[in-house]
C-alpha cells in the first residue's frame, strides 16, 4: 500500500476506535470493513472487530477476530491479551494463559492491556501474578475507577485487606455510583455505629431507580451493615428489597433444578462397585452448598504439607461437557448429565488429572473446592474411584440463610434460586435428597459428610477425622489454617484469615418472623428444621 493509503487506513481506524468508545458500533464496523476491503491484512481492523464482538457478549467470535489480529501483528500485545480474556470466558484456561504470556512478552504499556492481563490471571486463579498487572494499570491511569476496583479485589483475595480498603475507597472517590465497590468494601470489615456508610448507601439505593443490579449490590451492603449493628430484622428486609427486582428479572423456575438433581441421581443409580476409572488418589473434592464451610475445609486440608489447594475448578464439568458434545451453553445441565453416563469415564478421569497438572506442582494430593461438584459426585466416583469426596452440611435454616445472604456472581444462572426464600428452601430440599442418595450408593471410604457445626464445636477431632479419611497423617498446621497465606478468591476471603468462630451457628434464629417462608418451604418439603441449636 502507498503511504497515502496507509495514512487513510490509520485515520479510519482512529475514527472507528473513537466511535467504539461511544458505543457507536455500526459506523465503527463500517470503517473497519472499508479498511479490510483495501487491506485484508490490516491487524488493527481485525482487533477492533474483536472488541465489537466482545462488547456484544460473543466471546467465541471475538476470540476468532483477536486471533487473526494477533497473528498479523507480532508486536502489538493488545490482541493476544484480549484473546486471552475471551478464552478464559470460554473456559479454555491453558490456551488463555498461553496468549497472556505472549502478550506479556510483547511488553504491554497501556493501562487497558495491563488490566486485561490482570483479569486473565485472576480468573485463572493466579492472583499473585495478577496483582502486579492491576497495580501497573492503575498507576498509568489513576483516574479509572474500574482499574482501582480490580486492584482492590486482587488485594482482597491476597489477604491485603488494608490495601483493598484503600483501593475500594479510591474507586468510589472516582465513581461514587460504582455499586460493586460498595458491596465489596462493606464486606472487608465489621461496620460499627461510629464507622459505617449508611447515609451514602441509602442515598445510592434511592437513586438506583430501576437498576436491579445496582439495587442488588447496594441492598446487600445495607443488609451487611445492619447485621453488623445487630439490626437483624432490618437486615433481612434490605436483603428482600435488594433481591426482589433481580429475582423477577432472572425468572427462576425451581423445576429446572429438580430435573437436574434427578438426572444426577441417574448417573449412579445403585451402589457403586470398584469401577474401572482412573486409579489416582490425588484428588480430594470438597463439595456442598456454597457458604456452608467448603472454603474452611479447603484451607484446613491445604495447610497439610502434602496437600495443595487447586481452588474452585470447573475442570471436571467442562471435560464431561466437551466429551459428551451436549448442546447448549451451560456446562451443568440435565442434557450433559444424561450424556455423561455413557462416556468412557476412565478417560474423563485421566483428562481431568491432566488438566489440573499445571495448577498443582508435583505428584501430591490436591483439593478441588468447587461446591457445585456435589451434582457430579456419582460421576466423579466412577471416573476417579480412589478420589475422596467430602460434602459439607449445615443446619438447613443456616445453610439457606447463608445462601440468601450471599451476593453471588450474577453472570451465572446456577445460583438464581438464591433471590427468593421459598426458592432457596426448594433448592436445599433437592440438594438434601441428592446427598442422601450419594450416601446410600457411594462407598463410605470415598464419600463422607462433615457438619459445619461439628467442625466448629470440635475442630481438632473433625480435622483428625477428615485427614484420616483422606489417608493423611495428622499435622498440627491444619489447626492453624488461618495462618495459611495462599490467596482466597471466594466469598470467605475475609473469614478464613481468622480462627474458627461459633457466631455463625444458629444465626437464623436472630432474623425473626421474616424467615417464615423459608421455614415453611423446608418443612413442606420434608426437611426437619429444629434438630440443631
Amino acid at each position: 500500500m502507498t503511504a497515502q493509503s496507509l495514512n487513510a487506513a490509520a485515520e479510519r481506524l482512529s475514527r472507528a476506535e473513537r466511535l467504539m468508545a461511544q458505543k457507536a458500533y455500526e459506523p465503527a464496523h463500517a470503517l473497519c470493513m472499508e479498511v479490510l476491503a483495501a487491506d485484508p491484512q490490516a491487524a488493527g481492523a481485525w482487533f477492533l472487530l474483536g472488541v465489537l464482538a466482545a462488547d456484544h457478549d460473543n466471546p467465541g467470535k471475538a476470540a476468532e477476530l483477536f486471533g487473526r489480529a494477533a497473528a498479523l501483528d507480532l508486536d502489538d500485545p493488545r490482541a493476544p491479551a484480549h484473546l486471552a480474556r475471551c478464552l478464559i470466558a470460554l473456559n479454555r484456561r491453558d490456551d488463555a494463559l498461553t496468549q497472556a504470556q505472549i502478550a506479556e512478552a510483547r511488553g504491554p504499556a497501556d493501562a487497558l492491556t495491563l488490566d486485561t492481563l490482570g483479569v486473565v490471571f485472576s480468573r485463572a486463579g493466579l492472583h499473585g501474578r495478577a496483582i502486579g498487572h492491576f497495580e501497573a494499570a492503575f498507576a498509568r491511569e489513576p483516574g479509572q475507577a474500574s482499574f482501582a476496583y480490580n486492584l482492590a479485589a486482587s488485594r482482597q483475595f491476597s489477604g491485603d485487606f488494608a490495601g483493598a480498603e484503600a483501593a475500594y475507597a479510591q474507586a468510589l472517590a472516582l465513581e461514587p455510583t460504582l455499586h460493586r465497590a460498595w458491596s465489596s468494601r462493606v464486606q472487608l470489615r465489621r461496620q460499627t455505629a461510629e464507622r459505617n456508610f449508611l447515609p451514602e448507601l441509602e442515598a445510592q439505593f434511592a437513586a438506583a431507580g430501576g437498576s436491579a443490579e445496582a439495587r442488588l449490590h447496594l441492598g446487600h451492603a445495607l443488609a451487611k451493615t445492619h447485621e453488623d449493628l445487630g439490626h437483624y430484622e432490618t437486615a433481612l428486609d434490605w436483603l428482600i428489597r435488594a433481591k426482589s427486582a433481580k429475582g423477577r428479572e432472572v425468572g427462576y423456575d425451581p423445576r429446572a433444578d429438580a430435573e437436574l438433581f434427578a438426572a444426577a441421581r441417574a448417573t449412579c443409580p445403585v451402589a457403586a462397585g470398584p469401577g474401572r476409572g482412573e486409579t489416582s488418589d490425588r484428588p480430594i473434592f470438597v463439595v456442598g452448598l456454597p457458604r456452608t464451610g467448603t472454603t474452611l475445609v479447603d484451607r484446613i486440608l491445604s495447610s497439610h504439607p502434602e496437600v495443595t489447594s487447586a481452588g474452585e475448578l470447573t475442570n471436571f464439568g467442562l471435560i464431561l461437557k466437551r466429551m459428551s458434545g451436549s448442546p447448549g451453553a451451560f456446562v451443568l445441565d440435565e442434557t450433559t448429565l444424561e450424556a455423561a453416563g455413557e462416556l468412557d469415564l476412565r478417560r474423563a478421569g485421566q483428562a481431568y488429572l491432566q488438566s489440573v497438572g499445571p495448577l498443582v506442582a508435583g505428584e501430591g494430593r490436591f483439593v478441588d473446592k468447587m461446591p457445585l461438584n456435589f451434582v457430579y459426585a456419582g460421576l466423579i466416583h466412577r471416573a476417579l474411584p480412589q478420589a475422596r469426596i467430602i460434602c459439607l452440611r449445615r443446619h438447613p435454616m443456616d445453610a439457606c440463610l447463608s445462601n440468601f445472604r450471599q451476593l453471588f456472581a450474577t453472570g451465572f444462572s446456577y445460583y438464581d434460586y438464591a433471590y427468593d426464600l421459598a426458592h432457596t428452601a426448594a433448592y436445599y430440599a433437592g440438594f438434601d435428597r441428592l446427598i442422601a442418595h450419594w450416601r446410600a450408593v457411594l462407598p463410605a471410604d470415598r464419600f463422607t459428610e462433615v457438619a459445619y457445626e461439628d467442625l466448629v464445636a470440635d475442630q481438632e477431632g473433625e480435622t483428625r477425622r477428615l485427614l484420616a479419611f483422606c489417608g493423611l497423617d495428622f499435622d498440627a498446621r491444619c489447626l492453624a489454617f488461618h495462618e495459611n497465606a495462599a490467596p482466597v478468591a471466594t466469598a470467605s476471603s475475609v473469614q478464613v484469615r481468622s480462627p474458627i468462630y461459633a457466631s455463625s451457628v444458629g444465626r437464623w434464629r436472630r432474623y425473626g418472623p421474616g424467615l417464615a417462608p423459608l421455614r415453611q418451604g423446608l418443612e413442606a418439603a420434608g426437611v426437619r428444621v429444629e434438630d440443631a441449636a
Side-chain angles (χ1 to χ4, degrees):
M1 294 181 69
T2 66
Q4 184 178 5
S5 298
L6 289 171
N7 288 337
E11 195 276 330
R12 285 190 176 94
L13 291 178
S14 179
R15 283 166 52 204
E17 194 160 3
R18 292 194 298 272
L19 288 166
M20 292 271 247
Q22 300 164 15
K23 309 298 183 187
Y25 294 113
E26 288 189 20
H29 179 269
L31 286 168
C32 290
M33 298 309 293
E34 287 177 19
V35 171
L36 289 171
D39 178 13
Q41 307 300 307
W46 292 115
F47 174 78
L48 289 179
L49 290 175
V51 173
L52 191 153
D55 281 0
H56 284 78
D57 296 320
N58 190 346
K61 184 62 177 178
E64 175 191 335
L65 295 164
F66 286 136
R68 295 189 71 164
L72 289 167
D73 186 341
L74 301 182
D75 296 317
D76 187 353
R78 297 180 305 162
H82 285 268
L83 172 56
R85 186 164 184 171
C86 292
L87 293 170
I88 278 286
L90 294 167
N91 295 303
R92 293 169 56 185
R93 181 184 183 276
D94 293 346
D95 293 337
L97 290 178
T98 297
Q99 293 300 319
Q101 289 160 2
I102 290 171
E104 281 185 319
R106 295 183 181 183
D110 68 285
L112 178 59
T113 303
L114 290 162
D115 180 75
T116 299
L117 288 171
V119 170
V120 171
F121 287 120
S122 181
R123 292 183 181 174
L126 303 176
H127 302 287
R129 195 162 176 181
I131 197 166
H133 292 293
F134 289 135
E135 295 273 9
F138 189 54
R140 282 166 173 76
E141 286 194 25
Q144 180 60 257
S146 65
F147 295 166
Y149 174 85
N150 286 343
L151 173 58
S154 186
R155 286 174 173 173
Q156 179 176 337
F157 296 155
S158 301
D160 178 9
F161 300 131
E165 171 87 19
Y168 283 133
Q170 287 174 299
L172 288 165
L174 292 165
E175 189 177 333
T177 59
L178 187 60
H179 49 265
R180 295 179 302 154
W182 281 118
S183 57
S184 298
R185 186 180 187 183
V186 169
Q187 291 294 330
L188 279 176
R189 66 171 72 199
R190 187 174 187 83
Q191 305 297 294
T192 66
E194 297 76 26
R195 186 186 182 283
N196 65 71
F197 305 101
L198 281 176
E200 297 94 326
L201 291 169
E202 289 172 355
Q204 292 281 354
F205 191 89
S211 172
E213 189 80 9
R215 289 168 69 88
L216 181 67
H217 282 266
L218 295 164
H220 268 272
L222 282 157
K224 164 64 164 60
T225 302
H226 282 288
E227 285 180 351
D228 288 349
L229 298 174
H231 308 153
Y232 295 103
E233 294 187 28
T234 303
L236 183 59
D237 288 342
W238 274 114
L239 283 173
I240 292 170
R241 291 176 66 184
K243 290 173 172 284
S244 59
K246 192 68 178 179
R248 289 191 297 271
E249 189 175 279
V250 301
Y252 173 72
D253 184 353
R255 289 174 296 184
D257 280 322
E259 292 167 357
L260 179 74
F261 293 155
R265 287 191 294 274
T267 63
C268 190
V270 297
R276 290 181 290 182
E278 170 57 41
T279 58
S280 171
D281 68 349
R282 294 185 65 201
I284 303 169
F285 292 87
V286 176
V287 305
L289 286 183
R291 310 298 295 141
T292 58
T294 54
T295 301
L296 173 61
V297 169
D298 175 38
R299 300 293 278 190
I300 289 171
L301 294 175
S302 61
S303 295
H304 194 285
E306 297 176 23
V307 181
T308 301
S309 175
E312 292 192 355
L313 303 181
T314 58
N315 298 41
F316 191 81
L318 284 169
I319 286 164
L320 295 181
K321 180 73 175 180
R322 290 168 185 161
M323 287 181 64
S324 69
S326 62
F330 294 110
V331 173
L332 179 57
D333 58 23
E334 181 185 1
T335 305
T336 302
L337 288 172
E338 289 172 348
E342 304 303 318
L343 297 176
D344 179 347
L345 290 172
R346 180 173 185 176
R347 187 162 66 87
Q350 292 170 339
Y352 169 80
L353 292 172
Q354 183 177 10
S355 73
V356 178
L359 300 175
V360 287
E363 294 297 319
R365 310 292 291 282
F366 64 88
V367 178
D368 180 339
K369 189 208 82 76
M370 170 52 72
L372 290 178
N373 275 337
F374 75 80
V375 177
Y376 298 119
L379 291 166
I380 288 171
H381 179 68
R382 291 173 59 191
L384 295 155
Q386 300 303 313
R388 271 52 166 197
I389 306 172
I390 299 169
C391 181
L392 268 293
R393 305 305 306 269
R394 194 172 177 183
H395 185 284
M397 289 291 285
D398 272 338
C400 290
L401 176 62
S402 68
N403 274 246
F404 190 67
R405 292 172 65 246
Q406 178 56 38
L407 180 54
F408 291 109
T410 55
F412 299 97
S413 62
Y414 304 124
Y415 308 111
D416 284 353
Y417 65 85
Y419 292 115
D420 178 88
L421 287 170
H423 290 164
T424 305
Y427 189 91
Y428 180 91
F431 161 81
D432 190 52
R433 287 190 290 270
L434 180 57
I435 301 308
H437 177 73
W438 296 144
R439 189 186 311 126
V441 302
L442 298 181
D445 61 348
R446 295 293 179 263
F447 177 84
T448 194
E449 298 166 77
V450 58
Y452 175 77
E453 294 82 2
D454 292 345
L455 192 54
V456 169
D458 182 13
Q459 180 187 355
E460 182 171 342
E462 287 299 292
T463 297
R464 288 181 179 274
R465 182 177 76 82
L466 288 174
L467 291 173
F469 170 76
C470 295
L472 295 164
D473 293 331
F474 177 74
D475 192 290
R477 281 169 284 193
C478 295
L479 300 179
F481 64 89
H482 53 285
E483 297 175 3
N484 187 335
V488 185
T490 74
S492 302
S493 60
V494 175
Q495 292 96 316
V496 295
R497 304 287 183 184
S498 302
I500 281 181
Y501 51 87
S503 59
S504 293
V505 175
R507 182 197 295 269
W508 67 274
R509 297 182 182 278
R510 307 168 196 163
Y511 286 78
L515 287 181
L518 176 59
R519 181 169 185 155
Q520 291 163 4
L522 288 168
E523 291 178 341
V527 177
R528 297 178 65 183
V529 169
E530 283 293 351
D531 287 349

